């Protein structure tokens, strides 16, 4: 089994920063792409950022210019640096990974980000 474990969530004031991390572990695996979704109460889960195994990145318009997604050399840890946070960023953030082997989409348990106004 492949497991995704997130960390770095918390409560920050508007304008502050957080760095979320997600580590993939378990059976031998190969990651196609990995990234972050978020979901606020009563709202649909939305894509925040994604990075491919080749290093290509994509961001939601709402966070573009304020966030940076990156991976370490092991290719099994992804980070999301979020700056200039806004109350609208408040949500549960979920790490997800599209795994080539074992094939499937895997999700972390989620980490709460709360931005006070």
């Amino acid at each position: 089994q492949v497991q995704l474990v997130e960390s770095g969530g918390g409560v920050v004031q508007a304008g502050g920063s957080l760095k979320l991390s997600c580590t993939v572990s378990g059976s031998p695996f190969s990651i196609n792409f990995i990234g972050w979704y978020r979901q606020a109460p009563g709202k649909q889960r939305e894509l925040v950022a994604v990075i491919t195994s080749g290093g290509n990145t994509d961001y939601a318009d709402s966070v573009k210019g304020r966030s940076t997604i990156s991976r370490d050399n092991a290719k099994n840890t992804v980070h999301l640096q979020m700056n200039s946070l806004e109350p609208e960023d408040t949500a549960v953030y979920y790490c997800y990974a599209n795994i080539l082997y074992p094939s499937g989409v895997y999700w972390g348990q989620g980490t709460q980000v709360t931005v006070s106004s």
Side-chain angles (χ1 to χ4, degrees):
Q1 183 66 47
V2 176
Q3 298 96 33
L4 280 64
V5 179
E6 300 123 321
S7 63
V11 181
V12 298
Q13 190 174 0
S17 299
L18 282 176
K19 186 177 183 179
L20 307 182
S21 299
C22 173
T23 298
V24 185
S25 63
S27 61
F29 57 85
S30 178
I31 298 175
N32 184 20
F33 55 86
I34 187 169
W36 297 88
Y37 276 76
R38 68 184 181 186
Q39 186 170 28
K43 298 182 66 177
Q44 188 175 0
R45 189 173 297 186
E46 62 178 353
L47 178 69
V48 179
V50 63
I51 185 167
T52 71
S53 60
N56 295 322
T57 60
D58 194 21
Y59 299 90
D61 289 340
S62 59
V63 304
K64 191 174 299 182
R66 302 186 293 118
S67 300
T68 302
I69 189 169
S70 62
R71 297 175 66 175
D72 68 4
N73 292 335
K75 305 295 183 181
N76 65 347
T77 300
V78 62
H79 307 281
L80 182 66
Q81 177 68 48
M82 304 182 67
N83 303 317
S84 301
L85 285 164
E86 306 167 352
E88 293 75 20
D89 296 315
T90 296
V92 178
Y93 285 69
Y94 297 91
C95 181
Y96 81 101
N98 182 285
I99 304 295
L100 295 177
Y101 179 83
S103 179
V105 176
Y106 297 83
W107 294 87
Q109 80 286 352
T111 184
Q112 177 71 47
V113 171
T114 301
V115 184
S116 61
S117 60

